[in-house]
């Protein structure tokens, strides 16, 4: 059931928890407003008038800043990333690659690494002059 436009800007208490989770993921005020499908000025109004809501995203942003940085997966599996970039140009190949990687992920990290290494050899065979780094880590 869709809400009428007048009901979309109505504040709900559950929005505070959701805003905190979104801020913990690193979304800005604009991103949070987009998630709630409200204009940014409505979000700022809620921050100014709802004390429980104002503290929630602030706490989420603090938690986001305290999280240790995670290395991007493209450094862990560079050949897989390259293959996805190449597959994006070929219909349905990207879906096949993602499905195969998900299957390898279910088996375990050794299977993921072996799949990446096999892709590396294939990628070098396709484009021998392209620099594709070897997988980092064990």
């Amino acid at each position: 059931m869709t809400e009428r436009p007048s009901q979309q800007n109505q504040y709900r208490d559950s929005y505070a928890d959701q805003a905190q989770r979104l801020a913990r993921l690193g979304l800005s005020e604009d991103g949070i407003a987009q998630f709630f499908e409200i204009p940014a000025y409505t979000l700022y109004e809620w921050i100014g008038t709802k004390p429980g809501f104002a503290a929630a995203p602030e706490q989420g942003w603090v938690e986001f800043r305290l999280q240790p940085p995670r290395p991007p997966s493209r450094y862990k599996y560079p050949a897989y990333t390259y293959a996805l970039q190449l597959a994006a140009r070929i219909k349905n190949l990207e879906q096949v690659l993602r499905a195969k990687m998900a299957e390898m992920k279910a088996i375990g990290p050794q299977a993921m690494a072996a799949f990446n290494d096999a892709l590396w050899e294939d990628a070098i065979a396709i484009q021998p002059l392209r620099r594709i780094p070897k997988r980092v880590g064990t």
Side-chain angles (χ1 to χ4, degrees), residues 100-116:
K100 183 68 174 175
M101 189 60 152
E103 179 185 326
M104 295 298 112
K105 188 175 186 179
I107 294 171
Q110 291 83 10
M112 290 171 64
F115 179 60
N116 179 78

Side-chain angles (χ1 to χ4, degrees), residues 42-86:
T42 302
L43 182 76
Y44 292 125
E45 180 183 323
W46 291 351
I47 289 172
T49 59
K50 312 288 185 200
F53 184 81
E58 213 41 64
Q59 179 62 34
W61 289 318
V62 167
E63 292 172 14
F64 173 72
R65 285 191 289 277
L66 292 176
Q67 292 175 1
R70 290 177 23 193
S73 62
R74 67 176 182 257
Y75 296 126
K76 193 168 185 180
Y77 300 107
Y80 173 67
T81 302
Y82 167 74
L84 282 178
Q85 291 170 353
L86 184 64

Side-chain angles (χ1 to χ4, degrees), residues 18-28 32 56-65:
Q18 188 64 38
Q20 183 175 358
R21 284 192 290 265
L22 293 169
R24 194 178 306 137
L25 293 173
L27 264 70
S28 65
I32 294 170
E58 213 41 64
Q59 179 62 34
W61 289 318
V62 167
E63 292 172 14
F64 173 72
R65 285 191 289 277

Side-chain angles (χ1 to χ4, degrees), residues 79-80 111-125 135:
Y80 173 67
M112 290 171 64
F115 179 60
N116 179 78
D117 293 344
L119 280 175
W120 186 86
E121 292 171 8
D122 293 342
I124 293 298
R135 182 173 48 86

